[in-house]
Amino acid sequence: MAKEGSADIFERMKKDGVKFVDLEFVDIMGTVKACEITVEKMKEVAGEGLWFDGSSIEGFVRIYESDMFLKPDLGSYAVLPWTGGTVARFICDVYDEKQRPFEGDPRNVLRKTLERAKKMGLEYMVGPELEFFLFRRENGCGMETHDKASYFDLGNLDLAAEVRRDVVTHLESMGLSIEMSHHEVAPGQHEIDFKYGRALTVAGWVLTYKTAVKTAARKYGLYASFMPKPLFGVNGSGMHVHQSLWKDGQNAFFDEKDRYNLSPLARHFIAGQLKHARALSAIAAPTINSYKRLIPGYEAPVYICWGRINRSALLRIPRYTEGKKSATRCEYRAPDPSSNPYLVFAAMLSAGLDGVENKLEPPEPIEENVYHLSNEELEKRGIPTLPHSLKDAVTELQGDKVLQEALGKHVFEKLTAAQLEDWKDYKRQVTKWELDRYFDVL
Ligand code: GLU
Ligand code: MG
């Protein structure tokens, strides 16, 4: 039986000439999974959901409790332009064998945190900025960047304008509004920004964006990577997240009278995120490689502080433009694109709400380049650092009850177990750096 109210969707699919439907969901690590069905089968699935074996998905369930169901969110309908228009996708929620929302489904984790905010009359809006690299594919997947251009370069230096234009065209045809696209600081590095929106919808777009970038790159014989720090000695790729809380249709972060145009609510929210920043790292910067990006000198945050123009700060408050109340926001700069957007938004929101509920006050903002402060100066001014490794970040998360509660027991345990397994494996490696450094001299 088709779900009530789904008739319009089937009309649209017919009009769009869609023949197949991809049912997408996401595992704990943020990898998109999908299965494809026909439009005919979708009539049944729209009402009842689709059975699948959850035991084969990373971090889901054990083999003896493997019955799971996918239920498509009909509002997430979009035709996948790179399939020639014959395939549409729906993003799905995952249910367990008793038809309850599955606690290990990252979408469910975010939904629950959004519900908590809703009970406080608040809505969480986010605008992520994902950076990525384009590499040449010749000789397999080499590490030669596609070009040698830098920030905002255009014309014959920036060879990827066409690739980015393809991504923009595809995403806009799917209903996503793109703000701008540009070459980033490092050779072969790019950024395409889209309009902010409700966190649940935006998390879905983050994953679609990655697919769109990778698909477009392939067409030009390139490989797109969202690895946080693929190259030594140049900028890594971040996923800064601009955030605001809305109340009764208004941006509740704005306050005309404040020096930074920030409301007390915004200040409490910032204080909460600063308080949980170290534990938040395990979710926002979830891979071994993430910590190669979070070092001084490359526009990535290292120190736990906030400021207005300061790009070395963890939290940046973009300057207020007269008349643009709705644009008041704070930018959290630690996340990178290897993170699971559903879990990052849930963790960032619950950290901020902890500050709101407990009326925490942030320290004084820092308006100078923190990279240039000496260790003594940092200590004197009480500026802590983000964890230096995934291991340290996981240890912090293991001691943070607020974030553990936001993730839920299932996700917290599976995520940290996978991370510690990676750490164990990484520690055993003998790297090229060690051979270069020690082999001849020892
Ligand atoms: N690529 C830098 C990072 O790793 C950020 C550059 C920028 O401010 O856009 O976070
Ligand atoms: Mg950028």
Side-chain angles (χ1 to χ4, degrees):
M1 266 283 288
K3 195 173 181 170
E4 233 176 287
S6 62
D8 291 356
I9 280 290
F10 289 100
E11 265 309 301
R12 260 184 88 182
M13 284 201 271
K14 199 164 156 198
K15 209 170 113 235
D16 291 339
V18 166
K19 302 273 180 285
F20 297 96
V21 169
D22 279 4
L23 299 173
E24 295 180 0
F25 62 105
V26 64
D27 71 10
I28 288 178
M29 308 319 285
T31 310
V32 180
K33 302 280 170 182
C35 66
E36 196 159 288
I37 58 173
T38 60
V39 171
E40 219 22 60
K41 174 81 178 169
M42 179 64 189
K43 290 188 179 141
E44 180 191 317
V45 170
E48 293 163 12
L50 182 84
W51 177 91
F52 75 103
D53 172 8
S55 68
S56 304
I57 305 292
E58 171 93 26
F60 269 23
V61 288
R62 285 159 294 190
I63 197 120
Y64 54 86
E65 48 185 17
S66 64
D67 283 352
M68 310 215 83
F69 294 86
L70 292 178
K71 296 206 173 172
D73 176 346
L74 298 185
S76 68
Y77 170 79
V79 178
L80 300 175
W82 48 86
T83 63
T86 54
V87 186
R89 74 98 199 267
F90 287 94
I91 298 176
C92 300
D93 292 294
V94 184
Y95 285 72
D96 68 11
E97 81 288 356
K98 294 204 175 88
Q99 301 279 343
R100 296 169 304 201
F102 173 46
E103 55 169 348
D105 176 12
R107 245 171 99 80
N108 182 28
V109 171
L110 179 55
R111 268 188 202 283
K112 282 204 286 204
T113 319
L114 293 170
E115 275 303 311
R116 213 182 116 207
K118 202 169 160 198
K119 286 202 185 101
M120 298 161 77
L122 299 168
E123 191 162 33
Y124 187 42
M125 301 295 224
V126 290
E129 302 175 336
L130 285 95
E131 296 168 333
F132 60 91
F133 278 83
L134 291 176
F135 293 101
R136 296 187 182 280
R137 272 189 96 100
E138 290 131 34
N139 316 317
C141 270
M143 292 304 286
E144 191 194 340
T145 57
H146 172 227
D147 63 28
K148 308 238 173 312
S150 189
Y151 193 62
F152 270 40
D153 276 341
L154 199 68
N156 51 9
L157 280 177
D158 173 13
L159 303 177
E162 261 177 279
V163 187
R164 294 200 307 266
R165 230 168 268 139
D166 267 17
V167 176
V168 173
T169 311
H170 281 161
L171 290 173
E172 290 235 320
S173 84
M174 295 177 77
L176 184 63
S177 172
I178 304 292
E179 304 258 283
M180 72 156 161
S181 89
H182 62 87
H183 201 289
E184 254 302 343
V185 173
Q189 193 187 28
H190 304 272
E191 178 174 322
I192 302 172
D193 297 331
F194 50 90
K195 194 170 176 344
Y196 74 94
R198 294 191 172 86
L200 192 75
T201 314
V202 171
W205 281 122
V206 165
L207 300 170
T208 305
Y209 167 105
K210 286 190 184 178
T211 310
V213 169
K214 283 183 180 279
T215 312
R218 248 197 323 266
K219 192 178 122 195
Y220 291 89
L222 301 170
Y223 185 80
S225 178
F226 288 91
M227 187 172 168
K229 187 85 173 185
L231 300 172
F232 166 74
V234 294
N235 270 15
S237 291
M239 182 180 86
H240 310 158
V241 183
H242 293 253
Q243 345 156 64
S244 50
L245 286 173
W246 288 56
K247 199 170 195 154
D248 305 325
Q250 301 277 336
N251 188 334
F253 272 7
F254 179 75
D255 186 336
E256 206 159 21
K257 295 182 290 291
D258 180 70
R259 182 160 62 110
Y260 279 14
N261 296 108
L262 289 176
S263 64
L265 177 85
R267 285 175 183 270
H268 298 325
F269 190 84
I270 289 169
Q273 291 199 328
L274 293 175
K275 175 181 161 196
H276 293 283
R278 285 180 58 82
L280 201 46
S281 273
I283 304 152
T287 57
I288 304 267
N289 184 250
S290 299
Y291 295 83
K292 308 277 164 86
R293 166 179 167 253
L294 300 174
I295 57 170
Y298 298 99
E299 295 185 283
V302 182
Y303 304 106
I304 302 178
C305 60
W306 69 294
R308 182 150 56 178
I309 37 178
N310 195 346
R311 278 172 195 271
S312 59
L314 173 63
L315 263 157
R316 188 177 77 94
I317 313 301
R319 207 178 283 281
Y320 171 65
T321 315
E322 201 52 45
K324 289 232 168 189
K325 286 184 201 173
S326 64
T328 309
R329 61 199 190 275
C330 62
E331 177 192 8
Y332 198 75
R333 291 174 66 84
D336 71 54
S338 70
S339 59
N340 181 333
Y342 290 102
L343 299 184
V344 180
F345 298 161
M348 283 174 28
L349 176 58
S350 61
L353 290 182
D354 185 41
V356 173
E357 277 168 347
N358 293 300
K359 300 214 172 336
L360 303 180
E361 288 299 334
E364 277 301 299
I366 308 278
E367 289 306 1
E368 59 213 89
N369 190 340
V370 210
Y371 295 154
H372 294 156
L373 296 181
S374 66
N375 285 345
E376 292 75 42
E377 189 66 18
L378 288 165
E379 201 165 318
K380 208 168 91 204
R381 294 167 69 164
I383 303 174
T385 59
L386 288 172
H388 296 304
S389 70
L390 182 62
K391 174 75 170 67
D392 290 353
V394 170
T395 306
E396 291 289 337
L397 182 57
Q398 284 167 333
D400 190 312
K401 292 284 168 256
V402 168
L403 295 192
Q404 281 178 37
E405 206 175 304
L407 293 178
K409 192 169 180 301
H410 184 105
V411 171
F412 164 68
E413 282 175 1
K414 300 280 182 194
L415 177 72
T416 49
Q419 289 175 315
L420 292 176
E421 198 52 45
D422 261 8
W423 180 256
K424 206 167 100 193
D425 193 36
Y426 172 67
K427 286 261 291 174
R428 283 202 298 252
Q429 304 302 318
V430 178
T431 62
K432 181 168 180 310
W433 184 89
E434 286 159 280
L435 292 174
D436 291 347
R437 180 88 172 79
Y438 304 123
F439 190 76
D440 280 351
V441 292
L442 295 182

